[in-house]
Amino acid sequence: MTNRIHVGKRVPEIYQAMAQLQAEVEKAAANAGVDQKILELVKMRSSQINHCAFCLDMHSHDALQMGESPRRLFVLEGWRETELFTEQERAALALTEAITNVATLHDVPDDVYEEATRVFTEEQYRAVVWEAIAINSWNRMCVTSHAPLPERAE
């Protein structure tokens, strides 16, 4: 893999602004009562679609630390084919996929929006949407920079 210019921490003002955005998203989600595990699933699913190894590594590690089951992470890409995910998680995953694939879909389909707003309050809906927006930004930064995986004990 070709080494690339890392656009993240080398421009600290912009990186800090993104980190602040992430902190605000997580604060809004907590204030709205969104389960942290839902946010990690959003981060994981977007990172799968965007093929971001760095974020997949980070957020699978974080999810496991929060008590997420390895089995659910293993089947996350096929979430529609299993009953392992709650109604809110399924709505968040569908919404995340629509937001992440907006260039192809050109919109968040009405059925996805309607289901998400049925199972989430307005504040929760906003927090999930902002999480999908934020992780897509992180994915693009890491993929563009070929961000290397951190060293981890296996």
Side-chain angles (χ1 to χ4, degrees):
M1 183 165 40
T2 305
N3 284 332
R4 299 273 176 97
I5 296 170
H6 196 285
V7 299
K9 293 182 181 179
R10 300 285 192 243
V11 188
E13 306 81 22
I14 298 172
Y15 187 86
Q16 285 301 325
M18 280 190 56
Q20 183 62 39
L21 169 65
Q22 186 66 53
E24 291 298 323
V25 168
E26 291 182 14
K27 185 169 90 175
N31 290 342
V34 177
D35 186 339
Q36 182 66 35
K37 285 184 183 178
I38 290 176
L39 299 181
E40 290 305 317
L41 291 173
V42 166
K43 293 172 190 176
M44 288 288 300
R45 188 66 192 114
S46 179
S47 299
Q48 286 175 332
I49 294 166
N50 289 322
H51 305 281
C52 184
F54 183 89
C55 292
L56 284 167
D57 180 70
M58 175 191 298
H59 296 298
S60 61
H61 180 264
D62 292 348
L64 291 169
Q65 295 284 50
M66 288 177 199
E68 181 60 79
S69 87
R71 183 179 188 200
R72 285 172 22 114
L73 295 181
F74 295 153
V75 301
L76 182 58
E77 194 167 3
W79 64 269
R80 285 182 175 85
E81 299 176 30
T82 177
E83 299 300 319
L84 294 176
F85 299 92
T86 68
E87 198 173 42
Q88 280 193 337
E89 290 167 341
R90 297 172 76 75
L93 290 167
L95 187 57
T96 298
E97 288 178 357
I99 292 166
T100 302
N101 292 312
V102 74
T104 303
L105 297 174
H106 307 290
D107 194 6
V108 172
D110 288 342
D111 63 322
V112 172
Y113 173 81
E114 288 164 7
E115 179 62 11
T117 57
R118 184 183 73 75
V119 301
F120 291 117
T121 66
E122 283 188 32
E123 292 77 18
Q124 290 171 329
Y125 173 83
R126 286 185 193 105
V128 171
V129 168
W130 273 109
E131 186 61 71
I133 291 167
I135 191 60
N136 271 280
S137 296
W138 288 113
N139 290 163
R140 281 150 177 76
M141 181 188 68
C142 291
V143 169
T144 302
S145 298
H146 288 184
L149 298 182
E151 294 295 323
R152 252 190 242 290
E154 294 293 324

